[in-house]
Amino acid sequence: MMDLPIELTLEQQFRLQNLKDQVKDLSQEEAQNFLLEVLRQMMVKDNLVKHLLKQA
C-alpha cells in the first residue's frame, strides 16, 4: 500500500491560514457560495486524478 501524506505541508498551512483570514468576514450567503465553489473544484480535481490514473 502506498504511503499517503495526511499532513499539510508548511505552504499548505500558510495558504489555509490566509484563506481563513479572507473568509472570516463573509456573509452566510457568500460563505455558502465559497463552499460550493471549493467543493466543485475538488470534484473537478477528483475527476482529473481519476482520468490520469486511467491513462497510466
Side-chain angles (χ1 to χ4, degrees), residues 9-53:
T9 65
L10 287 176
E11 179 182 354
Q12 289 169 326
Q13 290 176 40
F14 176 78
R15 289 172 53 202
L16 187 60
Q17 183 61 48
N18 194 6
L19 280 169
K20 181 180 175 183
D21 293 341
Q22 290 179 33
V23 301
K24 68 181 175 186
D25 295 325
L26 294 180
S27 69
Q28 182 175 348
E29 182 179 356
E30 290 170 324
Q32 288 172 341
N33 289 336
F34 183 83
L35 175 60
L36 288 172
E37 176 59 20
V38 168
L39 292 171
R40 187 192 71 77
Q41 289 180 19
M42 288 174 62
M43 290 177 191
V44 169
K45 183 178 178 180
D46 287 346
N47 291 344
L48 179 59
V49 169
K50 287 176 187 176
H51 175 76
L52 292 173
L53 287 173

